[in-house]
Amino acid sequence: MYPSRFAYEAPKTLAEAIALLDANGGEAKVLSGGQSLIPMVKLRFASPELLVDINNIPGLDYMRIDEQGNLRIGALVRHEDLEHSTTLPATHPTLAAASHLVADPIVRTRGTFVGSLCHADPQGDWAATMIALGGRIVAQGPKGKREIDMREFVLGPFTNALAFNEIAVEAIVPPVKGKAAGSYLKLERRVGDFATASVAVALDMNGATVGRAGCALAGVGGRTIDANDAISVLVGKTLNAESIEAAAEAVAAAADPRTDHRGSADYKRHIVKTFVTRILNNIANSEQKAA
Amino acid sequence: MSLDEIKIGGMGASRRRVEDNRFIRGKGKYVDDVVLPGMLHMEILRSTVAHANIKSIDTSAAWEVPGVRLVLTGEMMAARNLAWMPTLSYDTQAVLATDKIRFQGQEIAAVIADDPYIAKDACAKIVVEYEQLPAITNPFMAQDPAMPIIRDDKENQPTNKIFDWEIGDKERTDQAFAEADVISTIDLHYPRSHPSPMENCGSIADYDRATGKLTVYMTSQAPHIVRAAVAMVAEIPEHQIRIISPDLGGGFGNKVPIYPGYVISILASILTERPVKWIEDKTGNLISTGFGRDVYLNGQMALRKDGKILGMRMHTISDHGAFYADAQPTKFKIGLMHSTFACYDVPAAHLTSEGYYTTKAPGGVAYRCSFRVTEAMFFQERMMHAAANDLGMDQAAFRRVNLVKDDMFPYRTAFGFLTDSGQYDKCMQVGMEAIGYDNFKAEQEEARKRGKLLGIGISTMTEPLGAGNSREYDIIGIKMFDSAELRVHMTGKAILRTGAKTQGQGHETTWAQIVAHELGIPADDIVVEEGDTDTAPFGMGTYASRSTPVAGAAVAMVARKIRAKARKIAAHLLEVSEEDIEWELGRFYVRGNQERGVTIQDCALAAYSNIPDGLEPGLENNAYYDPPNLTWPFAAYFCKVEVDAETGVWDVLQFVAVDDCGVRINPMIVEGQVMGGLTEAYAMANMQYITFDEEGNCIGANYMDYLLPTAWETPGFELHEVVTPCPHHPIGAKGIGECATVAGPAAFVNAVMNAIEHTGVRNVDMPLMPNRVYEALQTGKDVSGMPPVKVG
């Protein structure tokens, strides 16, 4: 594996990093965890002229809840930081469930949450959870910061909404109204395999009633599938056999899978429906137990 | 006082592997670790398409890249008569394409440059113009007369068929079917897989014009075969060729063939007069080097109502890719496929085979397998499973009726093999008890009430391991024996060399244990070397589980020669006649006076310092061993699974493996072999295959598409042993390296089928991916894995 020739810079500040991107007019790539970028460079699927390594920039490895209740995740937070968090399962069960299923344990030690969002792989796990949670990305460029809704951040396969001279410095998950419920299920043939199909569901529960409902899918379309509208049939309802069936049907209809060596389009759609049903049944069961 | 054999690391000691000392410290020396002064680097340009006429190859831009020393094309190879090379099955294979591309990934050109980055950059600047032809991705397409002839380079090749072959007794078999109460049938595809060693293939060719000597560091499981082949192809005298196989990062059959990259690097070194290193990348390895399997298997079995097998028929249609490059003995066209049913008493059998060219990579190597034995045994156990169901008989009971009984050995199979030993029913009993077989039906019914699908699968087999004998087994005419050479130094330490080539099997550990067993020299005092043709005795290398049966036997035999000479020295030292000398481990003593003796180390010292009159000094010898028969290990595997009906995902609840490989030299290494083999078997059953789309693109060109299981999903395995010594092997050992890979897949598949066959389905082709299992559950119909995969 021999990549094309490239230059490498490891700036100490965000301003320097942004200046390097700005000066290289689209030929530079930001290197954080490198778990997707390095293989692509090795295989020459990507041949950037410059890699800007942001790992030496202090102050980007935080994960905290701010005064407004937003969860803020800095650009250098690794997958395993979410996986090992003791508070995340209660506050953000959807993220907690996905944290164990991202790639494999080795990749999770280096790969970053924000980097994975930027990579915009149609089979990526975190993008699905963030769309389900209504999250946002903070992009910083020469002219300062702006926020981008996750629904507008992923433009297509491996394409995000960042300008060439912007760095995604932070991901924001808005506060839950009520009690957070949700999960992430993924069908993979082997740990670290790309998802055959995966489902992220995030609900805000007001007692037994669904407040906000979020859902997104990976592996079943040319890009991460935004199924928030589909699952909104649950809003204002309680979780019962009927409402769960309706939601699962609606979400499965939103999937846009292709037949390939991982299975037929029908099979993948069926898995989506099965997983939505399983997640919602689990939530309903735990609500019942709590009540 | 006799030595404690376990303490000196002899037979039966679970001695830690001595080679691991360097491997776990990152101190192994693989081909890519070798750096020679002035070395250049080679990169191969591969075809992006599967089937095409080459209209033009323009290398001019590649020559312009600074640091490029040489750009080779097929035309330049042809000028030196090296554009084509012979395969191990008497076919030819293109080294660099001259006329036509015949599979995706085929070698088109090579760039030799100062560093590998430059070579890669320059490769990208070579422009190839293709005139595309239809891809032919399975043998049924190859049969279609409307399809082009893939091997239009050959004379007398009017179709895409390579061979028709048959063995067995057709008349007797027809008779058996005429008398049958029940006839059972099955149709299977054993998908294309890849051995996928962690280390890819590579070579460093170093031609010295001053001496005329060619030294090649190479990833080869059989360096002596390579030396012979290079002598024939490159017209360099054999004594001027030195092949060195240093540490190998796995082989699994993938490193038996001779690949174009090796040949190109040799010519490049001759032309540049510099050492030339070629190291393949993972994609290159997966898409162009020797694959395994890819056979369609059709079978019929004639049965009596009481469960007795009367006869069997088998028809195979095999896909060999663009060049018939199977590594196999000359007289067999589809390896040892006819070893199928060797553990069962089958009075009549007939096998017919057809082989085809397709526009896929060549190979047909014995992927952890003794020449197609994996397919033979998978077929056997899937056929047995189907037949038991058709008879309405219990799977274990049906097998026990038909397994060859202990008192029937030696047993001549219907296809002519002679099995010689085993306790098949005992192995069945051990396995059935360990998995709780008798309780399973109740367990299954109870689980079904809770909506859970449980299944149990059995796979039993004996397989022919350790080719030769040399009467029947050869590779390109070279007979399959093996060799060992032992030198005992003055201080009683020793060096042992053999014609085998370890690639993870642990020869450095186990060979020393055999010597320790025969001579009483502690295993730690013996160094083992293999893989350098200038120093190692001639041998056929390591594959087909042949090392212990053949080279291991040679080790025992050479140690016995050493002992015989040491006995003469002992008689001299003890001043008695040789007839009055007795042997115990590590020591000769005077009969009737056990106190009066000399150790083997005393004899070694005397061999160099106090030699009796009339005896040659020194204590070294060699042995060439031609086994009288193959060895016949037995395996009985039991697997219990649970299938998730909603998704088709299945999990292994329990796996019991009973192996009888005769006497175990190092039980820990045997267990490691079985665990590794079962992991590969699980991979094939569950997730692993190389397929092709309609355009002939290889799906499985990297580890995201071609899946190797990790510790995460690989189930636990419970291992049991039964020991029936091999009657003809000097230390009673049988092959074990591949038993688990061979017998394993059917255990998993039979278990999953048992869980879902209430729907009426008879077969789901491997890999049993969740989507296939789910489809079978939904439709009750067979799920065929026949390529090409339709995309869209």
Side-chain angles (χ1 to χ4, degrees):
Chain A
M1 298 295 182
Y2 298 100
S4 308
R5 188 171 291 272
F6 62 86
Y8 170 87
E9 295 281 356
K12 297 268 170 41
T13 66
L14 262 179
E16 282 175 74
I18 291 163
L20 283 163
L21 295 181
D22 196 42
N24 279 274
E27 298 303 328
K29 283 292 261 183
V30 174
L31 173 67
S32 55
Q35 297 305 293
S36 299
L37 180 60
I38 296 294
M40 289 178 81
V41 168
K42 281 201 312 189
L43 292 165
R44 298 193 175 199
F45 292 158
S47 297
E49 287 173 8
L50 170 68
L51 290 188
V52 180
D53 183 343
I54 61 168
N55 283 283
N56 294 324
I57 300 173
L60 292 176
D61 58 352
Y62 57 85
M63 182 164 63
R64 62 162 191 268
I65 293 183
D66 67 15
E67 293 95 44
Q68 288 80 40
N70 292 298
L71 172 66
R72 293 179 172 269
I73 300 173
L76 289 176
V77 169
R78 315 283 159 176
H79 305 307
E80 68 162 12
D81 297 333
L82 285 96
E83 188 180 14
H84 296 160
S85 163
T86 51
T87 54
L88 207 60
T91 60
H92 295 85
T94 307
L95 293 176
S99 69
H100 306 287
L101 298 175
V102 173
D104 61 40
I106 302 163
V107 169
R108 293 202 289 271
T109 63
R110 267 198 91 79
T112 63
F113 179 85
V114 172
S116 166
L117 298 176
C118 292
H119 186 51
D121 188 322
Q123 287 162 308
D125 302 295
W126 289 131
T129 62
M130 283 293 281
I131 289 173
L133 287 160
R136 307 188 297 282
I137 295 289
V138 179
Q140 188 171 339
K143 290 178 188 157
K145 290 184 179 178
R146 64 177 176 129
E147 287 191 7
I148 308 169
D149 191 309
M150 263 310 288
R151 297 173 79 157
E152 277 121 44
F153 184 71
V154 178
L155 299 180
F158 307 104
T159 313
N160 64 41
L162 291 173
F164 74 91
N165 52 10
E166 283 180 318
I167 295 177
V169 292
E170 186 181 58
I172 302 175
V173 181
V176 177
K177 298 189 183 82
K179 181 171 175 287
S183 193
Y184 185 77
L185 287 178
K186 173 174 174 177
L187 180 67
E188 55 183 359
R189 298 172 301 170
R190 185 205 64 185
V191 67
D193 184 21
F194 291 118
T196 300
S198 65
V199 175
V201 172
L203 305 182
D204 294 358
M205 300 297 292
N206 301 316
T209 310
V210 176
R212 181 185 174 279
C215 180
L217 314 172
V220 287
R223 50 185 279 187
T224 315
I225 299 281
D226 176 352
N228 284 310
D229 292 344
I231 206 167
S232 67
V233 297
L234 286 175
V235 174
K237 298 218 171 85
T238 58
L239 293 176
N240 54 42
E242 197 187 338
S243 65
I244 289 173
E245 169 79 15
E249 286 281 355
V251 172
D256 184 23
R258 270 161 52 100
T259 293
D260 64 11
H261 58 293
R262 287 182 173 79
S264 68
D266 286 347
Y267 174 72
K268 292 178 188 179
R269 205 182 289 280
H270 162 77
I271 292 298
V272 168
K273 188 180 169 195
T274 304
F275 282 179
V276 173
T277 308
R278 284 183 181 183
I279 293 171
L280 295 177
N281 276 334
N282 275 341
I283 296 170
N285 290 341
S286 57
E287 289 299 321
Q288 265 173 8
K289 267 184 212 156
Chain B
M1 260 291 285
S2 184
L3 290 169
D4 179 337
E5 179 156 359
I6 299 297
K7 275 195 185 147
I8 66 162
M11 291 277 289
S14 281
R15 185 179 178 229
R16 287 197 182 174
R17 301 192 344 149
V18 294
E19 42 271 83
D20 290 346
N21 268 329
R22 59 180 192 277
F23 293 155
I24 62 175
R25 287 175 171 81
K27 297 286 187 189
K29 191 176 180 188
Y30 301 89
V31 169
D32 201 14
D33 294 317
V34 176
V35 176
L36 300 179
M39 188 169 76
L40 299 174
H41 298 264
M42 181 176 113
E43 175 75 23
I44 292 175
L45 177 73
R46 298 182 181 281
S47 164
T48 54
V49 301
H51 199 192
N53 290 317
I54 299 174
K55 289 178 74 180
S56 66
I57 302 172
D58 181 358
T59 60
S60 53
W63 280 101
E64 298 298 313
V65 176
V68 167
R69 303 287 172 152
L70 180 66
V71 184
L72 281 169
T73 60
E75 205 177 317
M76 296 160 76
M77 300 296 287
R80 289 157 185 87
N81 205 22
L82 285 173
W84 293 82
M85 62 178 185
T87 72
L88 297 180
S89 281
Y90 301 91
D91 194 5
T92 49
Q93 173 171 355
V95 177
L96 286 176
T98 47
D99 52 342
K100 203 167 107 161
I101 296 303
R102 294 179 173 86
F103 69 93
Q104 186 192 43
Q106 188 177 341
E107 298 80 359
I108 299 176
V111 174
I112 292 88
D114 289 347
D115 74 43
Y117 298 87
I118 295 171
K120 185 103 186 168
D121 289 347
C123 260
K125 293 195 185 301
I126 298 172
V127 182
V128 184
E129 259 191 291
Y130 301 109
E131 179 186 56
Q132 268 192 256
L133 298 165
I136 300 170
T137 55
N138 65 55
F140 308 104
M141 293 172 76
Q143 287 171 337
D144 181 349
M147 281 293 171
I149 304 301
I150 298 164
R151 294 301 303 276
D152 53 359
D153 58 295
K154 294 178 79 173
E155 284 171 28
N156 306 320
Q157 186 64 52
T159 70
N160 287 317
K161 183 181 268 192
I162 306 169
F163 62 80
D164 275 306
W165 192 72
E166 69 171 304
I167 191 168
D169 189 331
K170 183 175 186 303
E171 239 168 79
R172 267 187 78 188
T173 308
D174 289 346
Q175 184 66 28
F177 275 82
E179 289 163 11
D181 297 324
V182 176
I183 292 174
S184 191
T185 64
I186 195 148
D187 264 302
L188 308 165
H189 178 220
Y190 204 127
R192 181 173 275 233
S193 62
H194 197 282
S196 189
M198 277 296 140
E199 179 204 29
N200 305 319
C201 296
S203 56
I204 302 167
D206 182 14
Y207 181 70
D208 183 337
R209 203 162 76 162
T211 62
K213 180 122 186 171
L214 172 69
T215 304
V216 190
Y217 296 84
M218 186 185 284
T219 51
S220 176
Q221 296 175 228
H224 282 100
I225 303 182
V226 174
R227 186 179 68 183
V230 171
M232 290 186 266
V233 174
E235 290 174 358
I236 297 171
E238 197 172 357
H239 69 290
Q240 292 281 46
I241 302 168
R242 181 182 188 187
I243 307 293
I244 302 172
S245 242
D247 285 332
L248 293 185
F252 309 102
N254 183 246
K255 291 172 180 167
V256 172
I258 293 163
Y259 292 119
Y262 301 156
V263 178
I264 305 164
S265 69
I266 290 171
L267 180 63
S269 179
I270 291 170
L271 293 176
T272 60
E273 296 185 33
R274 299 263 293 268
V276 173
K277 178 187 267 190
W278 165 64
I279 300 291
E280 184 178 67
D281 63 21
K282 187 53 74 187
T283 293
N285 183 255
L286 285 169
I287 67 174
S288 77
T289 64
F291 69 93
R293 336 300 186 214
D294 211 349
V295 188
Y296 297 81
L297 306 154
N298 168 266
Q300 295 158 29
M301 190 180 261
L303 298 148
R304 212 164 60 193
K305 266 189 304 225
D306 63 0
K308 179 77 189 76
I309 300 169
L310 300 176
M312 57 84 54
R313 289 188 189 121
M314 182 180 191
H315 183 65
T316 71
I317 298 177
S318 44
D319 178 337
H320 298 267
F323 310 105
Y324 181 36
D326 291 29
Q328 64 193 359
T330 302
K331 65 194 260 191
F332 307 118
K333 292 293 173 207
I334 190 71
L336 303 184
M337 191 70 83
H338 57 300
S339 63
T340 193
F341 281 89
C343 66
Y344 296 108
D345 179 27
V346 179
H350 187 230
L351 163 68
T352 50
S353 294
E354 311 167 52
Y356 289 89
Y357 289 119
T358 58
T359 57
K360 289 152 72 174
V365 298
Y367 167 18
R368 204 166 182 171
C369 154
S370 196
F371 315 120
R372 303 276 182 189
V373 164
T374 310
E375 294 96 304
M377 299 311 162
F378 179 73
F379 164 79
Q380 166 192 301
E381 287 307 303
R382 292 290 297 122
M383 181 83 249
M384 289 298 287
H385 185 92
N389 286 347
D390 290 343
L391 285 164
M393 260 181 101
D394 174 74
Q395 291 289 341
F398 176 56
R399 283 174 172 79
R400 292 174 80 178
V401 164
N402 289 291
L403 283 167
V404 172
K405 310 290 181 290
D406 300 3
D407 60 5
M408 290 163 75
F409 295 112
Y411 176 85
R412 181 72 66 181
T413 76
F415 287 120
F417 287 106
L418 190 71
T419 60
D420 53 24
S421 58
Q423 302 173 69
Y424 299 170
D425 199 65
K426 183 176 174 187
C427 293
M428 284 293 288
Q429 287 174 44
V430 169
M432 287 168 73
E433 188 170 328
I435 203 149
Y437 189 84
D438 293 338
N439 296 331
F440 179 74
K441 281 229 161 63
E443 205 183 319
Q444 190 178 36
E445 273 169 36
E446 193 275 329
R448 229 162 250 180
K449 283 179 200 148
R450 291 183 288 114
K452 302 267 182 206
L453 298 177
L454 298 192
I456 198 163
I458 306 176
S459 178
T460 59
M461 65 102 209
T462 187
E463 58 164 331
L465 297 187
N469 58 74
S470 69
R471 295 182 307 283
E472 290 187 278
Y473 300 99
D474 69 292
I475 297 283
I476 49 172
I478 308 168
K479 298 297 186 183
M480 298 188 78
F481 48 79
D482 227 291
S483 61
E485 180 195 277
L486 179 60
R487 291 182 189 174
V488 183
H489 308 316
M490 193 185 301
T491 55
K493 319 292 181 190
I495 181 166
L496 176 83
R497 295 188 173 104
T498 86
K501 174 56 205 162
T502 192
Q503 59 223 239
Q505 290 87 345
H507 293 179
E508 290 170 50
T509 307
T510 46
W511 291 168
Q513 292 185 246
I514 297 174
V515 176
H517 172 71
E518 295 291 339
L519 293 179
I521 297 175
D524 285 345
D525 289 352
I526 301 152
V527 67
V528 175
E529 273 186 15
E530 291 176 342
D532 182 342
T533 58
D534 265 11
T535 57
F538 187 92
M540 292 298 280
T542 291
Y543 41 87
S545 287
R546 65 185 300 279
S547 296
T548 292
V550 195
V555 172
M557 299 312 272
V558 73
R560 288 174 193 182
K561 287 185 181 177
I562 295 286
R563 197 167 71 203
K565 180 168 182 185
R567 176 186 292 271
K568 292 186 198 301
I569 297 171
H572 165 69
L573 294 176
L574 293 165
E575 298 177 320
V576 295
S577 82
E578 216 188 312
E579 292 72 42
D580 294 328
I581 294 285
E582 292 282 343
W583 167 257
E584 63 181 351
L585 188 63
R587 185 171 178 271
F588 295 101
Y589 61 90
V590 177
R591 182 175 304 133
N593 184 359
Q594 202 161 355
E595 299 291 298
R596 211 176 137 227
V598 289
T599 63
I600 186 77
Q601 288 82 5
D602 295 332
C603 298
L605 182 62
Y608 297 88
S609 62
N610 180 11
I611 278 288
D613 289 343
L615 201 63
E616 273 180 62
L619 194 57
E620 63 179 73
N621 216 322
N622 60 29
Y624 278 74
Y625 187 79
D626 184 0
N629 190 6
L630 298 147
T631 70
W632 295 92
F634 185 75
Y637 295 163
F638 296 79
C639 177
K640 206 191 277 186
V641 299
E642 179 176 331
V643 176
D644 177 349
E646 282 185 327
T647 60
V649 171
W650 52 276
D651 289 311
V652 176
L653 303 178
Q654 194 183 1
F655 195 103
V656 169
V658 185
D659 279 282
D660 180 355
C661 60
V663 176
R664 297 183 173 201
I665 301 162
N666 181 322
M668 183 182 70
I669 286 182
V670 171
E671 285 173 13
Q673 288 273 30
V674 175
M675 294 242 179
L678 287 173
T679 304
E680 286 179 295
Y682 171 71
M684 288 175 225
N686 186 283
M687 63 181 78
Q688 192 171 77
Y689 70 146
I690 287 191
T691 187
F692 295 79
D693 70 13
E694 293 129 310
E695 292 177 344
N697 296 308
C698 176
I699 300 171
N702 58 62
Y703 279 162
M704 291 312 291
D705 287 321
Y706 189 67
L707 302 180
L708 302 193
T710 72
W712 210 258
E713 53 275 322
T714 302
F717 303 116
E718 299 173 30
L719 309 188
H720 298 261
E721 70 169 282
V722 167
V723 176
T724 315
C726 174
H728 62 76
H729 189 276
I731 52 170
K734 303 178 180 183
I736 183 63
E738 19 179 274
C739 292
T741 331
V742 171
F748 295 105
V749 174
N750 284 343
V752 174
M753 293 311 298
N754 181 245
I756 67 173
E757 61 205 0
H758 59 281
T759 61
V761 59
R762 283 177 72 84
N763 182 53
V764 178
D765 275 338
M766 292 194 293
L768 270 63
M769 297 182 299
N771 56 310
R772 292 187 181 182
V773 175
Y774 177 77
E775 186 186 328
L777 270 166
Q778 288 299 300
T779 62
K781 296 207 173 95
D782 289 6
V783 180
S784 160
M786 194 180 110
V789 169
K790 296 223 174 357
V791 176

